[in-house]
Amino acid sequence: AQKITQTQPGMFVQEKEAVTLDCTYDTSDPSYGLFWYKQPSSGEMIFLIYQGSYDQQNATEGRYSLNFQKARKSANLVISASQLGDSAMYFCAMREGPGNQFYFGTGTSLTVIP
Amino acid sequence: NAGVMQNPRHLVRRRGQEARLRCSPMKGHSHVYWYRQLPEEGLKFMVYLQKENIIDESGMPKERFSAEFPKEGPSILRIQQVVRGDSAAYFCASSPTPVLSHTDTQYFGPGTRLTVL
């Protein structure tokens, strides 16, 4: 079974609008962390936001927020007030407990339309 | 404080040649991870190293691939006798501490794009 599933290969959003990128995960470990990374066309991986499995509140970082629904095992990224520079690939990732590796989804390509 | 550095950024090899990819972790980081990103896919874990030790190589192909992180110098991912299927982006990440908590993030380098002709 896939550890991380991103079902939206591509998304479009109008500039200044909000957009939600979906991510579901699969784990039986009670302790885990969820991460979102942005990969622009230049290729680097940029860390955006983190949510811990025991965190009571949804994480927020500037225009990024994480809609964490633990019972549904989803960790959707919400980008508010989209900007042209937000056009990129977005990857959801998970680390389980004290494990060493990240599990990545296949990514969502976001295009912001002027 | 320089980030994770990888070189070369682009590498072209012919089938059968060797590819050497280098990664210098962030200052103060002694833990290095290598990931591979095939076209249109997410990153896949390959290996986790500390100085002079391979901690987890469960994602490494059994043949032709090796990694090291010597006491001095960068971490090296080595691919012998490359084949076209090795064409991918190879990312290195580093962290300052052992991964004891799920909250520890990793800081990624810009990646090396390997093209095998």
Side-chain angles (χ1 to χ4, degrees):
Chain A
Q2 292 289 333
K3 290 282 188 181
I4 294 287
T5 301
Q6 294 180 255
T7 57
Q8 305 156 313
M11 290 280 287
F12 291 87
V13 64
Q14 204 76 36
E15 193 178 7
K16 299 180 185 177
E17 297 291 312
V19 64
T20 297
L21 307 184
D22 294 342
C23 172
T24 57
Y25 58 92
D26 181 32
T27 181
S28 57
D29 197 317
S31 177
Y32 53 90
L34 297 157
F35 303 78
W36 276 92
Y37 286 84
K38 173 184 178 181
Q39 186 178 43
S41 58
S42 52
E44 70 268 32
M45 295 288 287
I46 302 168
F47 167 72
L48 295 178
I49 196 167
Y50 161 81
Q51 179 83 44
S53 58
Y54 296 120
D55 293 344
Q56 295 296 315
Q57 293 185 320
N58 287 343
T60 59
E61 289 285 349
R63 294 186 298 112
Y64 305 109
S65 61
L66 203 152
N67 184 3
F68 181 44
Q69 297 187 45
K70 196 170 182 178
R72 298 178 61 182
K73 292 190 175 178
S74 74
N76 299 338
L77 177 71
V78 180
I79 305 175
S80 62
S82 297
Q83 302 172 357
L84 296 178
D86 293 334
S87 293
M89 283 290 290
Y90 288 81
F91 290 96
C92 180
M94 177 178 68
R95 165 178 285 156
E96 296 172 307
N100 299 314
Q101 61 171 292
F102 278 38
Y103 298 96
F104 282 84
T106 51
T108 295
S109 176
L110 177 67
T111 302
V112 180
I113 304 167
Chain B
N1 186 13
V4 178
M5 299 179 69
Q6 289 187 249
N7 66 81
R9 294 292 305 274
H10 300 274
L11 182 61
V12 179
R13 285 287 178 267
R14 296 191 181 280
R15 282 179 295 170
Q17 291 184 319
E18 179 180 286
R20 279 180 178 249
L21 288 63
R22 296 175 196 79
C23 169
S24 297
M26 286 179 70
K27 188 176 180 181
H29 289 194
S30 57
H31 303 262
V32 165
Y33 312 80
W34 285 93
Y35 294 82
R36 177 165 65 176
Q37 184 180 27
L38 294 171
E40 311 299 324
E41 293 188 12
L43 279 68
K44 295 283 190 333
F45 169 78
M46 299 180 75
V47 62
Y48 163 42
L49 311 103
Q50 295 177 21
K51 289 279 187 183
E52 300 184 283
N53 281 306
I54 296 175
I55 307 302
D56 180 355
E57 57 182 347
S58 58
M60 285 278 272
K62 294 289 186 278
E63 298 177 348
R64 302 187 297 107
F65 285 72
S66 62
E68 62 177 10
F69 190 16
K71 189 176 180 181
E72 301 291 337
S75 175
I76 306 287
L77 179 67
R78 182 182 177 206
I79 311 172
Q80 295 177 291
Q81 299 175 334
V82 296
V83 301
R84 288 219 173 105
D86 296 333
S87 294
Y90 292 82
F91 286 90
C92 169
S94 73
S95 68
T97 61
V99 180
L100 300 178
S101 166
H102 62 273
T103 62
D104 293 329
T105 191
Q106 297 175 356
Y107 298 87
F108 284 83
T112 293
R113 269 103 190 130
L114 173 65
T115 302
V116 179
L117 301 176

